[in-house]
Amino acid sequence: MKHIALYPGSFDPFTNGHLDILKRATNLFEKVIVTVAVNNEKKSVFSGMERIELIEECLKETEWGTRVEITQFTGLLVDHAKKMGARTLIRGVRQISDFEYEFRMALTNKRLSPTIDTIFLMPDEQLTFISASLVKEVAFWGGDLSSFVPKHVEKALKDKLQHSST
Ligand code: PNS
């Protein structure tokens, strides 16, 4: 049986840190499904479909992208994982301060669905400070994002923020 992992997140936007975690996950699993959480109550810069398209673009330049599928979901993560046939959830942990939230989330998911496990992966040390919220702040003020996100994400982010301010 194919072992499938699900890599969930808001990915608003997908950063170089996310890309690094995804690559590491494909080294461990035959197939990885990136799943974009679409929560109507959470204000996001990009729609679910836009986030999917930005992630697809990132994969074009990789040789492991063919083993990645991208979906979106609303509702409980464990329900989506079951629907997709995934028994493992992947989460990136950048520093100790991430861990408390991640641990609570993993335990909640385990209580909801005891057969689904969460695996934590660490990104490359150089990428540990990158967060989607800081990326948005730097983009808002027109800063250089070249070491934070892929080029097309930087362009999309700047287009979006410029568009929203007019
Ligand atoms: O990138 P994020 O915002 O840290 O991702 C968090 C996400 C979307 C994975 C998490 O909030 C989630 O799984 N939401 C779906 C609702 C759910 O299943 N909640 C119970 C687990 S805490």
Side-chain angles (χ1 to χ4, degrees):
M1 192 171 95
K2 256 194 176 179
H3 200 156
I4 302 170
L6 201 72
Y7 179 32
S10 300
F11 304 126
D12 186 47
F14 201 72
T15 66
N16 288 341
H18 294 133
L19 191 61
D20 183 81
I21 295 290
L22 180 56
K23 183 178 179 208
R24 288 169 197 279
T26 62
N27 287 333
L28 299 171
F29 295 90
E30 288 169 68
K31 182 174 169 184
V32 180
I33 303 172
V34 179
T35 190
V36 175
V38 182
N39 179 349
N40 292 338
E41 270 149 45
K42 198 168 168 185
K43 210 171 170 288
S44 58
V45 172
F46 295 104
S47 70
M49 209 50 228
E50 286 171 330
R51 283 178 264 165
I52 287 179
E53 282 164 10
L54 290 174
I55 300 168
E56 271 169 359
E57 190 67 31
C58 294
L59 300 183
K60 278 186 190 160
E61 289 150 31
T62 69
E63 74 240 13
W64 44 268
T66 49
R67 286 186 291 116
V68 176
E69 186 183 326
I70 312 166
T71 60
Q72 55 180 311
F73 81 105
T74 310
L76 282 181
L77 179 60
V78 288
D79 290 342
H80 186 64
K82 281 182 209 156
K83 199 171 116 196
M84 302 307 290
R87 284 183 285 149
T88 310
L89 304 173
I90 303 286
R91 291 289 290 173
V93 178
R94 295 160 299 182
Q95 48 230 331
I96 294 290
S97 56
D98 284 344
F99 199 70
E100 200 187 337
Y101 165 67
E102 293 298 334
F103 196 59
R104 273 191 285 128
M105 197 155 76
L107 287 175
T108 306
N109 286 329
K110 208 177 209 10
R111 178 65 62 88
L112 292 170
S113 184
T115 56
I116 295 180
D117 285 302
T118 301
I119 289 186
F120 299 112
L121 295 179
M122 286 188 300
D124 186 284
E125 200 188 337
Q126 310 278 338
L127 303 169
T128 51
F129 67 95
I130 299 177
S131 73
S133 49
L134 281 182
V135 162
K136 281 181 272 198
E137 193 173 322
V138 174
F140 182 80
W141 295 108
D144 175 14
L145 285 171
S146 54
S147 61
F148 298 74
V149 292
K151 263 196 169 31
H152 67 282
V153 175
E154 176 169 12
K155 185 180 179 312
L157 200 50
K158 287 185 171 168
D159 286 352
K160 189 67 103 168
L161 291 175
Q162 271 165 13
H163 189 254
S164 70
S165 66
T166 53

